[in-house]
Structure formats: structure tokens, C-alpha cells
């Protein structure tokens, strides 16, 4: 059974960088798309971007200038960096597997990141 | 980006009721649409993909239909564990976009 688990600081100061890591267990990180999705309190889900196991990335244009997603196949992990955060970046952040660009089938439990001084 | 609009935003229903949720896309997306269920404090769970394909392990009371710009999720007989928020998601292109959600509450 594939499992995903997010990890990282739950509190980030405004203008600093949000960094999260997702550890994938129970399966290989190869041959899939790995995405980050977030959900601000009371709002709809927002797709942040993906990295494919081959290294290709694609980011939401609304966040593209501030986002980097990277992959460490040796550790079965992928990571999110979001620069210059503001209160608007406060959200539940999920790491997710996308199968063949058709569906998000496995989700991490989510981690709440609050941006506040 | 493709805009996804769900209706209604919320509904009240009783156990055993048939429930239908609609999702409209701002442009044609073939059948590249999924439905997800989210319970409080939990991650979304995939129910339906490719508009009408039931994800493994999902009860058969859930079904999806539609193509192009209009899609529906139907729960044939609402069960107590089905009270949740439901989201549609288009995977036709990037950026992936979600509907605003439909909250199904107990009447």
C-alpha cells in the first residue's frame, strides 16, 4: 500500500521560504507524477505543481515565480519550496500521486503551514 | 486556466436519498474529470475518474456521468458515511483546477 507523508515546519515568517518534504513508502517514486496541492482555510483546493520521476516539472502560473519542486529518487522523496510567503500562503499542504496524468490516487494526510510573524 | 463550477454549493439530504451534484467546466474537457470526497480533517479521496470510472474499493452507489462541459456525480442511496464535501477536478490540462466544493449535510 502506497503511503505519502508530508513533513516540515508548521510556522513560517512572512517573506521567508516555506519548505516541505514528502516521503513515499510502499512503492517506487519512479514512473509517476508527484504533485503538491494546498487548501487555504475555507477555500477550494489549489494545485501548486508537479514533478515527474523523469525530472519534468510544471507549475501553476499563479505561483510559478515562487515555486520549486524537486525530487530525490534515492530517498523516495520529493520537496516543495515556496519563496516570499505571505499570509495568503497559509494552508493545508498535501503531497499527492498522479497516475498517468489521469487522477490523484494517493494523498498524504496533509500538513498545516501558517505564515505569521 | 479552466474554471470549474459546482452546484449546489451545499445541500441537505436524508439517509437513503438520491443525491446529484453538477460540475461545469468553462471549456470542453472531454471526459477528463474526477470526483473527490473530503471529510473534515482528512485528505480528499478519489471516487470517480475519467468522468464515469469507479475507483477501486469505492461503493457502487457512487456513479459519474458527462462529457465536454457538464458532469454529474450521483449517490444512489445516501449513507451516513457519505456526509462530506465533494469536489470535481479537471485533468484535461494544466494547471489542474478544482470546483469550489459541494457540502452534503444531514437533513
Amino acid at each position: 500500500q502506497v503511503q505519502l507523508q508530508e513533513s516540515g515546519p508548521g510556522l513560517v515568517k512572512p517573506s521567508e521560504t516555506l519548505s516541505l518534504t514528502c516521503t513515499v513508502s510502499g512503492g517506487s517514486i519512479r514512473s509517476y507524477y508527484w504533485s503538491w496541492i494546498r487548501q487555504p482555510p475555507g477555500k477550494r483546493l489549489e494545485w501548486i505543481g508537479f514533478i515527474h520521476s523523469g525530472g519534468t516539472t510544471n507549475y501553476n502560473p499563479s505561483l510559478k515565480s515562487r515555486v520549486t519542486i524537486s525530487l530525490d529518487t534515492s530517498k523516495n522523496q520529493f520537496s516543495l519550496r515556496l519563496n516570499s510567503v505571505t499570509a495568503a500562503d497559509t494552508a493545508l499542504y498535501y503531497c499527492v500521486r498522479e497516475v498517468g496524468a489521469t487522477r490523484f490516487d494517493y494523498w498524504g494526510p496533509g500538513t498545516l503551514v501558517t505564515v505569521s510573524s | 486556466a479552466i474554471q470549474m463550477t459546482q452546484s449546489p454549493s451545499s445541500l441537505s439530504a436524508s439517509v437513503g436519498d438520491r443525491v446529484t451534484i453538477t460540475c461545469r467546466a468553462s471549456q470542453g474537457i472531454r471526459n477528463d474529470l474526477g470526483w473527490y470526497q473530503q471529510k473534515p480533517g482528512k485528505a480528499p479521496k478519489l471516487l470517480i475518474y475519467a468522468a464515469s470510472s469507479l475507483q477501486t474499493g469505492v461503493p457502487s452507489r457512487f456513479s459519474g456521468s458527462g462529457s465536454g462541459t457538464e458532469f454529474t456525480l450521483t449517490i444512489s442511496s445516501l449513507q451516513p458515511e457519505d456526509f462530506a464535501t465533494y469536489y470535481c477536478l479537471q485533468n484535461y490540462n494544466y494547471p489542474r483546477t478544482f470546483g469550489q466544493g459541494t457540502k452534503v449535510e444531514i437533513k
Side-chain angles (χ1 to χ4, degrees):
Chain A
Q1 176 77 347
V2 174
Q3 292 186 315
L4 288 76
Q5 180 66 56
E6 305 88 354
S7 58
L11 181 65
V12 181
K13 290 182 168 54
S15 80
E16 295 190 347
T17 297
L18 179 160
S19 295
L20 296 174
T21 295
C22 182
T23 301
V24 180
S25 59
S28 174
I29 205 165
R30 300 187 186 278
S31 304
Y32 292 100
Y33 296 84
W34 301 95
S35 283
W36 289 95
I37 292 171
R38 70 181 184 177
Q39 187 171 34
K43 295 190 175 181
R44 74 176 71 191
L45 295 149
E46 179 181 32
W47 177 79
I48 298 170
F50 79 69
I51 187 164
H52 185 264
S53 56
T56 303
T57 56
N58 191 317
Y59 302 131
N60 194 319
S62 67
L63 299 167
K64 189 173 183 177
S65 63
R66 299 193 291 132
V67 173
T68 303
I69 298 176
S70 58
L71 190 70
D72 186 337
T73 54
S74 68
K75 295 181 179 179
N76 244 30
Q77 293 178 333
F78 63 106
S79 299
L80 168 71
R81 286 175 58 88
L82 182 65
N83 302 327
S84 305
V85 297
T86 69
D89 295 309
T90 293
L92 256 176
Y93 285 78
Y94 296 101
C95 60
V96 190
R97 189 180 85 168
E98 186 171 9
V99 179
T102 62
R103 57 198 182 271
F104 293 120
D105 63 344
Y106 286 102
W107 297 63
T111 187
L112 178 63
V113 179
T114 301
V115 178
S116 175
S117 55
Chain B
I2 297 174
Q3 294 185 22
M4 307 301 293
T5 305
Q6 290 179 231
S7 59
S9 295
S10 64
L11 64 90
S12 295
S14 300
V15 172
D17 284 354
R18 182 182 182 87
V19 169
T20 298
I21 299 169
T22 298
C23 179
R24 288 186 174 86
S26 60
Q27 67 181 73
I29 59 170
R30 301 180 308 199
N31 70 334
D32 295 330
L33 183 111
W35 290 98
Y36 295 78
Q37 175 194 66
Q38 187 177 34
K39 295 182 179 179
K42 299 290 189 181
K45 172 189 172 184
L46 174 65
L47 300 176
I48 302 281
Y49 64 96
S52 60
S53 296
L54 195 66
Q55 173 70 354
T56 303
V58 174
S60 59
R61 62 181 180 274
F62 291 94
S63 64
S65 64
S67 67
T69 61
E70 189 156 335
F71 303 85
T72 59
L73 171 70
T74 299
I75 309 171
S76 59
S77 177
L78 198 66
Q79 298 302 300
E81 60 268 30
D82 300 337
F83 291 97
T85 300
Y86 294 84
Y87 293 93
C88 61
L89 162 73
Q90 67 81 16
N91 56 281
Y92 176 76
N93 67 8
Y94 292 100
R96 301 291 194 234
T97 46
F98 291 85
Q100 81 277 21
T102 296
K103 187 173 184 179
V104 177
E105 299 175 301
I106 302 172
K107 181 183 281 186

